[in-house]
Each structure stands twice: as structure tokens, then as C-alpha cells.
Amino acid sequence: KLCGYLNKLGIKGPIKTWKSRWFFYDENKCRLLYYRTAQDINPLGSIDLSSASFDCKMEIGQGVFEIRTPSRAFTLKAISKQAMMYWLQQLQMRRWEFCNTQSRFLSNGILSCSFAFLSYFVFTFVDVVDNEGFLPLVKTPTEAVGLKAASLPAPQTSTALQNISLKHPWTEIQNTVYNICGSKQLWGNNGNVFSFDEFQEHSENVDEEQEAEEGTLEDGRMGPRLNWIRKARWMNSSFPGSEELSREKNSVDKVSVLQQQILTLTEEVKSQKELVKLLHKALEAAQLEKRVSSMYLTAAEDKDRLELVRHKVRQIADLTSRLEALEQEKKELEQLLTLRDSHIQELKEHVQLLMEKNHAKQEVIMTLTEQMVQELSDPLQEANTITVETLYKQQEEIEHLKDDIDAYKTQNQFLNSEIHQVTRLWTSVAENEKALLMKCACLQARNCQMESKYLTVLRKLQEAVPGLPNSHAQLVKNLIQEALQWDVKEEAEEALSFELNTALCPFSEYDEYGFMTVPDYEIEDWKLLAKIQALEIKSSKLRSQEIVEKPLRERWNSIGELNPSAELKSLIRSGIPVEHRQRVWRWLVSRHCSPVPGHYQRLLEQSRSTEHPACRQIELDLPRTLTNNKHFSSPTSQLIPKLRRVLLAFSWHNPAIGYCQGLNRLAAVALLVLEDEESAFWCLVYIVENLMPADYYSDTLITSQVDQRVFKDFLSEKLPRLMAHFEQYRIDVSLITFNWFLVAFVDSLVSDILLRVWDAFLYEGTKVIFRYALAIFKYNEEEILRIHDSVEIYQYLRFFTRMIMDGRKLMNIAFNDLNPFPMKLLRNRRSMHREELEAELCELEQIKAAYVKERAEHGP
């Protein structure tokens, strides 16, 4: 047991006095209780050590140290420097054991609760022993610390009343009466110190102390049983049997150690039982969900199915309440973390102050030493100017200064140990908070999945409304209307660090580039589909954030200067993070298209002085550009004037093309990412003049038509079943895919997947467009094959690209499943079909000329 007498500094107005108190450490609550004597039953106060810091005060006096809690500071004094260091080391160790035990229980709870979602995380908290060597372990001063010290008389004060606590008269009276009655009872039982049957248990608690004299009493009095045992040990030490007990001390210590181990193992068994119970509950929940799904499939009436839907709604509400509870717990941890950070900052400032003081004293010592050397260098001058008494005083002062230096070194060592331990506690809290954030993210993902399933069920019911009774049809319509009014909530995440900032994957109405996360479909029946799509995107982001996105960001952060390589190619195919995309795009454009300084400004001047023939068509296309992006949705948007200037400058830069419908979308995407309009202009030049083949945007669009024929060849080779299906129902896929190739999938794919396609497109060229076009059909092949009506197929192909949510799956199909895809084959196919198309166009021109000639000869 950690107990013993210490002097406590009490403050009564302007008067400060030292009072002797018996201190006892309560290991269950990590509190340091203090009494007037070792025989008292009720404590005068307590000190909470779980959030306290320790400091030794060398400048106040020998053996003085300080315990600082969030509410106040306690100044204590031991009988010697050794006793002070022993108390400080033991308090540090007890605080660490208590905090580490709490962290272990918390981590076990988190692991068992999030086992179904965080199977790839293992929370392991290991008790760390201080091996850093800040301070050697201090031997136990048995004369001042421990139960033996209770048998010694309390330290005497100058006056009899000085040691009495006048702020707690009732507690003093209780302790005095208890001691008197206890002594009589002990002697009345023939010296049997273990007879406590007639002791009275006090039910009242000590009032919380408001003045600074005795500290804050938070625990009330100590339990009677614990005080009886301690009192029994003290009383027993004065009897002849105490020698026999001291001989059995070793065996008693062994028994206590074994009992402690039994308690630890019992707690571990309890935690394992709790884990097994939670796993059983998870298994029962899964089985229950399976039964509910089976009931839904086998339900004969729509009423039963609606009841199952209501049950799912109640489950969603329960998950929402659990999510709010976790958010509240996260806020509490953040407040605790802020408090720890401020505490660490105070300790650092204090250490800096002590180091400055130590440095000043060392300078004084050096100055005095130099003076002595100068004075002692001339023995005659020393004999004449310095007396023996003066020299003695100087040497004595030097010895005092050396003692002070040793004391401050010890103090610095202890403060280093304190800072190290507090930092470890802070790290443990940060790990717990990160685990809670990950658990919250997984719950969010599951919540989105549940909402998506619920909306999917409503959509199926919506399709079956014509066959339902009027009452059921009205109920389904009401549920759909209520679901459409749900708002996609935006999660509030404070910026602690980059990992914590992205853990919950904040989700809002618009993404980083201004694209709408929930599509605004004009058709009423598709609005529910848009809601499902938004939930699927959010769920996918939450699930892939830690597994895929975080490692990918770390790899990008490790890349310095950009150079073409296989590794960079793989990273670009996987998608460039938002914070790196602008830098990489600028590098890709500058590699193949060197910007000419001042060229863009000259083009703008030319467009202002002379109106280009394509100016009217540009003005007509500006309001139709990226209508699902908030930066272009309004005529007053800031990017509309920039887009106009970029398109006009390009029309003067390339008179052969001038302006072609589709260039507005390419320039708009470049503006969103690069932000600077001149950089967007050179990006447009790079795409049209370097990446795309010649005549891709000419008046005849001949190369665009060639690519459609090449794509049909690849579709027949890579997906023969699907191509046969199209031929059976006479589906011309070029009606759908022509726009894909012309604008590189802009307005066809969701923004996240679209920008990944553009990342690879800017690095590898048009081959990427062929890969992704084939991958889109491969992604939805089975769905298309199930449709056996040409009108329905065309209707499905109009919007099926917007239903692709899994960008990783689409990327794997494009770059893995469709291999091999050599560029040489693409060039050969283009050359062959271009010759065929030119021959066909030449033949058409001949037929047209013959027709005109014949018409002229025969007259009108």
C-alpha cells in the first residue's frame, strides 16, 4: 500500500502554513486520500490523480513537490529528497496503471461492437514499462512510507491546534470519537484487534470543500471496512504479535500478488464472455434478417410486405440513434484531448523556464569561477586583497550553487519522465478516438446501405402500383413522397489531422468540383432512382475510404518530382487524389504542349476587336454546359465568362476547326480542375491537337465516324454475345457512343468516375476511351441481355452509364479484363476504316454530282 505522512501547504487568507497529513492511495479510483492522522476513519479530502500532473519544486525547499489537477494545485512536502522522489515515481506508476486499464477496457468494447465492420483492425494495448532511463528507481524509505509508518507517532507541530482542520469540525469530532471508542473496544476485547462487530458505520458523507485550505473532497469518507483493516494493522503493530506478522510478510505479499492475478484473469474472462455474447447477438441479427427476407419473398399479400418495410424503417431509426450516441462520445473525447493538449503545453513552458533559470545560474557560476582564477593567479595580490574569511564564503557559495545544479538536474529528469508519460497517455486517447471514428464511418456505410435497400423496395412497389388496390397504392405513394423529402445529411468533422479529417468522408449536395451528388432527373419516376444512386455512392466512399483511398493518398504524397514510369501510370489509372490532380494535369499538358508566353492574351485581344463567326454558336452553347454543376448552372456563374474567353481564344487559335459542339464541355472540365483559364485553354489545345486524331472535330467529323466503326469491331471481339443481341434487335450503338468519344464521357458518367477516366485519358490518349467504353458495356452486359425490346433497350442505354457506382470495378474491367489491347491494332483498324469511309464518301459525292447533272439536263 502507498501511504505515509506528508506535510500539506494550507492557505488561510494571506497566511500559509504546513500541516501534517496522513496520505493513502485508493487504487480503485486513482485518488489520493488524506487524513489528519493514520487512525482517522473519515478523510479530510482527496486528490484525483487520473488527470493530474506532478512537479518537484526545488526552489521552494528540499522535499517539496506539487500535484496539479484541472481544478487546483496541491503543494506537499516529504521528510527527505529520497522520500519525495519515491512518492513521485509511485504516483506516476499508479496513474499509468489506472489509465492503461481504462484504455484496455475501452478498446475491448470497441473491438467487440465493431467486429462485423472492422475485421481488419486489431486493437492491442500493451502495458509499457518505463525503460527510457530518465530516473533510476528509488528504494522504498520504510521509515516514512508504508503501513509501518502508521505505527510511528505523527510529526509534531509547533502548536497543538495548528494541525487541526478548522474547516471540517464535524469530521474532526467523528474521527476523535471513533478513535476513543475504538481504543476502548479493542482493549475491552482482551487485545483482539480483529473484533470490529460493534463499530458504527457512518452513513453521512463529508461535504465538498470549497476553500483552498484542504482541497476538494470528491469521494466522501473511506469505506469502514478498508479503514478497519488499516486501523487493525496499526493497532496490531503495538502488540507482541507484530513480530510474528512481520515474519509472515513475504508469504502475505505472495498471496496478495496471486489474488491480484486472479482478479486480472477474472476480468479478462468476463470481457471474453461479453465478446462471445455480442457475437451471438450479431449472428442472431443476421439470421433474423435472413428470415425477414425469406418472409418478404414468401409473403402472399402486400399488407405483410408493407409491415416488413415498416420494420426496416424502425431498424433504420435505431441505427440513427446509435450513430448520434457515438457522435456525442466523440465530442467528449475531443474535449478530453483538448484538455490534455493544454496540460502538455503548460508543462513544456515550465520546462523551458527551468532550463533558462539553470542556464542563468551556470553563467553566474562561470563568472565567479573566472573571477577566482584571476584572483588566485597572483598569490601576492590574493594575500593583499582577499582575506581567508572572504575566500571561505565564496567557496561555500559555490558549494551551494553546485547543490542547486544537482537539484535542478534531478528536477529536469523528473519533468522529462512526466512529459513522456503524459504524451503516451495522449497517444492512447488519440488511438481510441480514431477507432471510434472508424466505427462511426462503418455504421454510416451500413446505414446508407439500409436506406438504399429500403428505397429499392419502394421502387419495386412503385413499379407494381397499377396492380395494387387504391388504398395500398396511396400508401406506397405516401412512403415514396416521404422518402424523397429526406435530406442527405452532411457530417460535421473537426480538422484534427488529415487521417481524422477524412475518416467520416464528409458528404454534401455537391462534390469538390461542384457536381451534384444527387442527380436532378426531370422525370418524376426517376427521382427515387436518383436518391438510391446518391446513397450507393456515399456507402461506396465510406467503405473504400480506409481500405483503398488512404493507401493511395499515402503513395501520392510520397511522390516528389513527376517522371513517366510504370508506377506513375498505375497510380494515374487508379485515380489522382483531389489535392494532387491540378499539379499532375498541368504537368501532363506541359509535357506535350509547351505554352507560348503572351499567346493567350493576344488571342483575347483579337477576339475583343473582331467578332468570330462561331461567336453566336458559343453563346448558344454556354447555358447548356454542365447543367449539373453549380459553377455553370446559372448565367451569372463566375466560370461562364472564363469559359467564353477560352472558347473564343481557341476559335482564333485553330481556324481550321474554329468551334465545334462538344468543345465547351471539354473546356469546362479543364476549368474546374485547373481553375486558371489560360491553363484550361492550353489543356483544350492539348486534347484537340495532340490526343485526338486529326479531323476529329472538323466539319465532316470523319475521324469520329471512323472511331465508331472501330469500336463496333472491338465490341464484336470482346463482347460477342452483347453485339449479337444488338444486331438481333437492330440497335445502332453509335447513336449512344458517338457523344462518349466526342466529349470523353462528359455528362455521361458520375463526376468521381469521370475524372478518373480523364486522369488516364490525359496520360495515355484515346485508347483509354475505347477501354472504358467497352468496360461500360461489360459492366451492364447481363442487364442489357435481359431486355428483349428495342425501344426498352434504347431507353435503358440513355441513362445506364449514370447507374455505375463502383469506379474500382469499372477500372479493373477496363485495364485488366479487356487485355490485351495494343495501340498498333487500334491504328491499323483506324487506317482501314478511314479508307473505307473515304471511298464511301467519294462514291456519294459522285452520285450526288451525277444527280445534279441529270437534274440540270432534264430541267426542273
Side-chain angles (χ1 to χ4, degrees), residues 25-32 47-50 95 98:
Y25 175 73
D26 184 3
E27 59 186 11
N28 294 325
K29 297 183 178 180
C30 194
R31 297 183 184 274
L32 194 63
I47 304 173
D48 185 7
L49 301 181
S50 61
R95 179 188 61 187
F98 180 81

Side-chain angles (χ1 to χ4, degrees), residues 590-687:
S590 62
R591 281 181 63 225
H592 302 282
C593 182
S594 300
V596 179
H599 179 63
Y600 180 70
Q601 298 301 327
R602 289 192 294 271
L603 293 174
L604 291 182
E605 290 293 336
Q606 187 176 1
S607 65
R608 281 192 288 265
S609 61
T610 306
E611 183 176 349
H612 195 277
C615 182
R616 179 178 176 81
Q617 185 61 43
I618 291 174
E619 291 298 329
L620 291 175
D621 287 346
L622 286 177
R624 297 184 293 219
T625 304
L626 298 186
T627 56
N628 64 335
N629 190 288
K630 66 179 180 180
H631 298 298
F632 295 97
S633 58
S634 172
T636 59
S637 299
Q638 295 181 355
L639 293 185
I640 292 292
K642 293 183 178 181
L643 179 60
R644 179 186 294 110
R645 290 192 291 269
V646 170
L647 295 176
L648 287 173
F650 181 81
S651 64
W652 286 108
H653 170 77
N654 193 330
I657 296 176
Y659 175 75
C660 174
Q661 287 186 340
L663 296 181
N664 57 325
R665 299 176 187 177
L666 299 178
V669 174
L671 268 175
L672 288 174
V673 176
L674 299 176
E675 297 178 359
D676 178 57
E677 59 182 273
E678 185 173 358
S679 300
F681 165 76
W682 288 111
C683 182
L684 181 61
V685 172
Y686 169 59
I687 294 173

